[in-house]
Amino acid sequence: MTSQPTLTKAGSGPGDPGEPDGGLQAGLKNRHLSMIAIGGVIGAGLFVGSSSGIATAGPGILLSYALVGTMVVLVMRMLGEMSAANPTSGSFSAHADRALGRWAGFSIGWLYWFFWVVVLAIEATAGAVILESWIPAVPQWGWALIVMLVLTATNLVSVGSYGEFEFWFAGIKVVAIGAFIVIGGLAVFGVLPGVDSESAGLGNLTEHGGFLPNGPGAILTGILLVVFSFMGSEIATLAAGESENPQRAVTKSTNSIIWRIGVFYLGSILVVVTLLPWDSEAIQKDGSYVAALNSLGIPNAGEIMKFIVLTSVLSCLNSGLYTASRMAFSLGRRGDAPKSFARTTERGVPRTAIIASVVFGFVAVFFNYEFPDSVFLFLVNSSGAVALFVWLVICLSQLRMRKIIERETPEKLVARMWLYPYLTYATIGLIVFVLGYMLTDTEHDGRQTVLLSLLVAAIVIGISLVLEKVRRGKAASGRAADRDLTV
């Protein structure tokens, strides 16, 4: 652990503006970073998970999304402040290392890696289900294998190939959401040519039991159902280390997150709950977006949404593998993972880190098919609260890093957190409140998720403290040996 954390000085190492991080190469173009930042907030969970939130909170789910969105905006602003001052592939893990101590960077880095390699299995399986429905001749496990192998190959070629794939994956999501909002909005106001939807209208927000048909408490339950669909907003800060201008990329992505969440989350959900009554059976049966499209009489709405969800799944899988490997690379560089993780190819690709991440992903896929209700369920639940842990560590790191930046390199403080430190403390309080409320939730497995995630976090922190003690012992032995030699 470090008693006096310091920032990397300009020109002395990774993270300098305009320079790639260590052996990585600046292969991501501005258009790649822009689309990664936009696509990062649009996960498959938005398309497939919003129906349960609507059923729980009714139109009030908009408040759940707004509260979580506000929390994410504040957290990303804090991360943007730190990452603009010192862009690095380790992002918040590297910042925690400097601000809170090596144990914090080690722990949150490995927990984040664990989260994403489990996500690899979830997304590969989700994509395989869709592909098998189209081409049943290939078994579901075969499609999962194919999807994992193709995207692994993409990541192994170069960071530019990852960026290009993600550009198009994210582009499809953005266009689809944008078209959905425009078409749905026109239908709500009755000006969509050729469509006369009797169920559409702003009245759906207050009719059918009111705006909060299940009471104000349903807003909190809704938060638990939607909070994890926001995970991925931080990917742009990890990718910035491989861009042509990291500082500019980080600043731009964090500054634009307000409108991205406002448009893609609040905008699209608002369209859903105004096109259809919140208690429509179609929302639960077909999914919120498919039901909304069907209400407009759009042919093959289910297949269209399947394609959009598939691109979202592939995007998440692609970014998940990239993110996990870059976190493993950063941990390797800092001596918190095998040194081989920090080695890169001539193209600047951390091949060992990628392979290690995808191997664990394959193991998780195997568990999903062979032990879905035991081993895999444990993996999913024990990684479920990691998003909240990451956001909490970002807040705690920013409290210290602001003082360090102001003391050492104030010229790098180009993206300041608003109303520091008051909004930082408020965000910490909100995250702790959500975690506490999850402990009371037995209906949606919130309590089990938090407890298992805390168990895994405690194990990882314990390992970090033991390793730190071993390192200090070796350092002390080395100093003693040096003194003996001088005598």
Side-chain angles (χ1 to χ4, degrees), residues 461-473:
I461 292 173
I463 292 172
S464 71
L465 294 176
V466 170
L467 290 176
E468 185 67 16
K469 187 175 182 179
V470 170
R471 291 191 193 101
R472 288 182 174 180

Side-chain angles (χ1 to χ4, degrees), residues 325-396:
S325 64
R326 267 37 177 199
M327 185 58 72
F329 167 83
S330 177
L331 289 167
R333 287 194 66 209
R334 287 179 273 145
D336 291 333
K339 291 182 179 180
S340 59
F341 284 13
R343 299 193 190 113
T344 57
T345 66
E346 63 277 1
R347 291 176 175 266
V349 174
R351 181 166 52 199
T352 304
I354 292 175
I355 292 174
S357 300
V358 81
V359 164
F360 193 96
F362 276 124
V363 172
V365 169
F366 171 77
F367 287 147
N368 190 16
Y369 284 107
E370 292 297 323
F371 311 103
D373 298 323
S374 54
V375 179
F376 187 71
L377 184 62
F378 170 80
L379 292 177
V380 172
N381 286 335
S382 61
S383 63
V386 167
L388 291 167
F389 295 166
V390 167
W391 296 341
L392 185 59
V393 167
I394 289 172
C395 296
L396 296 173

Side-chain angles (χ1 to χ4, degrees), residues 275-423:
L275 282 178
L276 286 170
W278 71 271
D279 55 356
S280 170
E281 292 183 1
I283 291 180
Q284 288 302 302
K285 179 182 177 183
D286 303 323
S288 52
Y289 289 83
V290 172
L293 292 176
N294 281 332
S295 73
L296 300 179
I298 295 178
N300 300 313
E303 295 304 310
I304 293 173
M305 190 52 59
K306 272 187 181 181
F307 175 74
I308 295 171
V309 171
L310 179 62
T311 59
S312 296
V313 164
L314 295 178
S315 170
C316 189
L317 183 58
N318 192 38
S319 289
L321 181 54
Y322 171 84
T323 304
S325 64
R326 267 37 177 199
M327 185 58 72
F329 167 83
S330 177
L331 289 167
R333 287 194 66 209
R334 287 179 273 145
D336 291 333
K339 291 182 179 180
S340 59
F341 284 13
R343 299 193 190 113
T344 57
T345 66
E346 63 277 1
R347 291 176 175 266
V349 174
R351 181 166 52 199
T352 304
I354 292 175
I355 292 174
S357 300
V358 81
V359 164
F360 193 96
F362 276 124
V363 172
V365 169
F366 171 77
F367 287 147
N368 190 16
Y369 284 107
E370 292 297 323
F371 311 103
D373 298 323
S374 54
V375 179
F376 187 71
L377 184 62
F378 170 80
L379 292 177
V380 172
N381 286 335
S382 61
S383 63
V386 167
L388 291 167
F389 295 166
V390 167
W391 296 341
L392 185 59
V393 167
I394 289 172
C395 296
L396 296 173
S397 299
Q398 190 264 343
L399 283 175
R400 290 202 69 189
M401 284 294 286
R402 165 64 80 89
K403 297 176 182 177
I404 298 168
I405 298 171
E406 288 177 335
R407 183 178 68 244
E408 297 184 356
T409 53
E411 71 280 0
K412 290 187 176 183
L413 199 59
V414 295
R416 292 174 178 265
M417 173 59 185
W418 307 299
L419 296 178
Y420 168 84
Y422 307 108
L423 276 181

